[in-house]
Amino acid sequence: MSTNCKLIENGPLEVSGDFEILDTKGIKIESEKTVYLCRCGSSKNKPFCDGSHKSTGFSG
Amino acid sequence: MNNPNDRQYSNGEITVFWKPAKCIHATTCFRELLDVYNPRKRPWVNMQGATTERIIEVTDKCPTQAIYWKYNKDLSEAEKAGNQSHDPDNEVNPEVLHQEKQPLRPKTTIRIMPDGPLLLEGDFQLTGEDGKEIKTMVMTSVCRCGNTLSPPFCDGTHRKTGFKD
């Protein structure tokens, strides 16, 4: 099974399947089977989405 | 001082210089011009793959100037000499450099680049919300700062806006 990376409109990137996430220092982040990664730049819980895109009116 | 991994490629009219240490894998070059910039090939730069004008246009989009170009008539003597000394057995490309650093991995590795994009690498599909595939790639970078002018991909804007993690 490959990895599915789905762009949620005006929202985060949904990642599911066989993957791993490495943080800014290259250290593996333990995560759920499906994660939502911030694309708007405003999350307080980077790299994960915290819903901030809704209040900032992110489009993309 | 030149880095031993630095490379240069010429079509007789211009020379493209590649400095892998500066590459943040924004992937702009091979998304836009695979006939010239193909990380699956060695050498990964084929200067015969497009017109000089087109190569200049795409090379100028590199957000970090990991690739940049000069007219051959403007080259220094040392740079001219660099165009003569190509050792095909000593070719490197962006993917190989990465693999050397990261040996065994799951299907896809997602790297959070500091104050920068998400770097996706491996066996993945990038799809829209409707599940339709946008593009099949082995490596790409997705904007994380929210300000890219070519969403969903990184275009280097995070450097101008000073995006911080």
Side-chain angles (χ1 to χ4, degrees), chain B residues 9 36 38-46 86 88 91-93:
Chain B
Y9 308 90
V36 172
N38 188 335
R40 282 282 150 109
K41 290 190 176 167
R42 284 187 191 212
W44 78 285
V45 178
N46 168 24
H86 254 281
E91 280 295 333
V92 287
N93 69 41

Side-chain angles (χ1 to χ4, degrees), chain B residues 36-102:
Chain B
V36 172
Y37 295 115
N38 188 335
R40 282 282 150 109
K41 290 190 176 167
R42 284 187 191 212
W44 78 285
V45 178
N46 168 24
M47 292 297 288
Q48 313 306 322
T51 62
T52 294
E53 291 71 28
R54 182 75 181 128
I55 294 174
I56 289 173
E57 186 188 357
V58 173
T59 304
D60 280 344
K61 290 184 183 176
C62 175
T64 61
Q65 290 194 302
I67 47 170
Y68 63 96
W69 65 275
K70 284 184 182 178
Y71 283 112
N72 281 8
K73 61 180 170 60
D74 298 331
L75 297 182
S76 70
E77 289 305 317
E79 288 167 340
K80 276 180 199 162
N83 276 343
Q84 307 304 320
S85 58
H86 254 281
D87 178 1
D89 292 333
N90 197 21
E91 280 295 333
V92 287
N93 69 41
E95 286 188 345
V96 169
L97 281 180
H98 245 276
Q99 284 160 7
E100 283 168 359
K101 280 185 220 153
Q102 305 287 344

Side-chain angles (χ1 to χ4, degrees), chain B residues 31 126 134-135 137 140-143 148 150-155:
Chain B
R31 273 203 319 266
L126 187 63
I134 292 184
K135 209 167 182 183
M137 286 162 289
T140 195
S141 61
V142 171
C143 171
T148 178
S150 59
F153 303 108
C154 169
D155 71 348

Side-chain angles (χ1 to χ4, degrees), chain A residues 6 10-11 15 18-19 21-22 24 29-30 37 39 47 49-51 53-57 60:
Chain A
K6 188 195 283 186
N10 306 329
V15 183
D18 183 14
F19 67 91
I21 304 176
L22 306 181
T24 53
I29 303 177
E30 292 303 325
L37 298 173
R39 288 202 297 132
C49 171
D50 72 349
H53 56 274
K54 286 177 191 158
S55 52
T56 57

Side-chain angles (χ1 to χ4, degrees), chain A residues 1-9 13 15 18-24 37-41 46-47 58, chain B residues 105-112 114 118 120 123-129 134 144-146 152 163-165:
Chain A
M1 185 176 76
S2 64
T3 316
N4 191 19
C5 301
K6 188 195 283 186
L7 296 154
I8 309 294
E9 202 177 340
L13 179 72
V15 183
D18 183 14
F19 67 91
E20 69 174 1
I21 304 176
L22 306 181
D23 70 12
T24 53
L37 298 173
C38 171
R39 288 202 297 132
C40 77
K46 293 190 191 80
F58 169 68
Chain B
R105 291 292 176 199
K107 294 271 186 187
T108 301
T109 298
I110 300 168
R111 289 187 180 76
I112 315 293
L118 298 166
L120 277 52
D123 180 12
F124 64 89
Q125 292 103 41
L126 187 63
T127 68
E129 203 164 354
I134 292 184
R144 210 155 63 83
C145 77
F163 171 66
K164 292 281 173 220
D165 270 308

